Every structure is written in C-alpha cells, then in structure tokens.
Amino acid sequence: MKTSVRYFSRSGSTKRLADAIAEKMGCSAQTVDAPLSEPVDVLFLGGALYGGSKIDNHLTEFIQTLTHTQVKYIVAFSCSNWKMSIQKQILQALKDKNIVVVEENIALRGQCFSFNKGRPNKQECSEAADFAASLVKKYEHKA
C-alpha cells in the first residue's frame, strides 16, 4: 500500500510527529509545499489548529490541490496545545472531492509557546506511528 506524509508545522511539534509516522511507513515526511508526485492510497496529513480553530492557509491550499485520482484515504494528524484534531477542517477544505477522510485520527499535545514543552515526546510519537501503521493495515483491503 502506497503511503505519503505531508504536514505544516509552525513550532516543530507536528514535524516531529510527521517524521515518526513517515519513518514507520518507510517514506519521508515532506511539508505541504511539496506536491504529491504520484498517486497514494493513504495520505497522512498533519497540522494544527490556530486562531479561531482554523488550519493554516498553507495546509488549506495544499488540500485544495488534491484529487480522488491522487489520494484514496486521508488520515489526519495534529499537535496542538489542546490536543484537538484537524479532521473537521480537512473535510471542509476538501468539499466534494470524493476523497475519504478516515474517522480515526491522531491528535497529540504539541508545544505552544511555553506550554507543553517538549511535546509530543519520543514515546508519544512512537505510539502514534504504531497506530498509523495499524490504520494502514485496516484500510489495506479497501484500497
């Protein structure tokens, strides 16, 4: 099953999580500035919620470039001070593109200014990467 990891990170928390997931998936994590070069079955897409509970415009712009011929499933992952998922915002940005955003997602606490310093930590990233691998196995037969 072909997977890819894309993310947007302001503080580095989401990048740490993206790197852990990508390592587990056997690919490299790239920022949303890098377009998908080939179709994927599962796209792990990460970011955070910022002012007004919105995702960053970089992430929204990337999402708007996606098509159902490029991506079958999206798994949302996020790091925020409040451990909130970006799944709902991804769904809104996708509109009617016929790309499935899986119900399961990964939401960890991330560093925000001096809050949650060092989060997500290595163990949290490792556990999230294991969960990501289990999701790929779950959706493997559906792809």
Side-chain angles (χ1 to χ4, degrees):
M1 186 168 227
K2 180 79 175 157
T3 61
S4 188
V5 178
R6 294 291 188 282
Y7 69 92
F8 179 81
S9 183
R10 289 186 185 176
S11 69
S13 297
T14 304
K15 180 185 182 336
R16 279 196 301 278
L17 181 53
D19 287 340
I21 292 170
E23 182 179 340
K24 187 77 172 184
M25 296 300 113
C27 61
S28 62
Q30 297 181 32
T31 68
V32 292
D33 296 329
L36 290 176
S37 59
E38 59 187 6
V40 297
D41 297 303
V42 178
L43 173 63
F44 289 92
L45 188 57
L49 295 174
Y50 299 106
S53 294
K54 295 184 179 182
I55 56 177
D56 189 272
N57 286 339
H58 291 90
L59 191 54
T60 302
E61 290 169 11
F62 175 79
I63 291 167
Q64 291 171 349
T65 69
L66 300 176
T67 67
H68 71 278
T69 58
Q70 289 177 300
V71 179
K72 291 181 184 174
Y73 299 102
I74 292 178
V75 176
F77 68 93
S78 55
C79 294
S80 72
N81 187 38
W82 304 278
K83 197 177 176 180
M84 294 171 58
S85 173
I86 62 169
Q87 181 180 25
K88 185 167 121 180
Q89 289 76 9
I90 290 174
L91 282 166
Q92 289 172 347
L94 279 170
K95 298 188 174 135
D96 296 319
K97 291 190 173 233
N98 293 325
I99 301 173
V100 176
V101 179
V102 303
E103 187 176 329
E104 302 93 336
N105 63 80
I106 301 164
L108 299 179
R109 292 200 185 277
Q111 185 169 327
C112 179
F113 305 110
S114 62
F115 300 104
N116 301 320
K117 197 165 184 134
R119 305 280 298 273
N121 61 39
K122 196 172 189 173
Q123 180 178 343
E124 291 168 322
C125 286
S126 177
E127 290 169 0
D130 289 343
F131 179 69
S134 74
L135 288 178
V136 169
K137 287 185 181 193
K138 179 178 180 177
Y139 286 89
E140 202 165 36
H141 72 282
K142 297 179 182 184

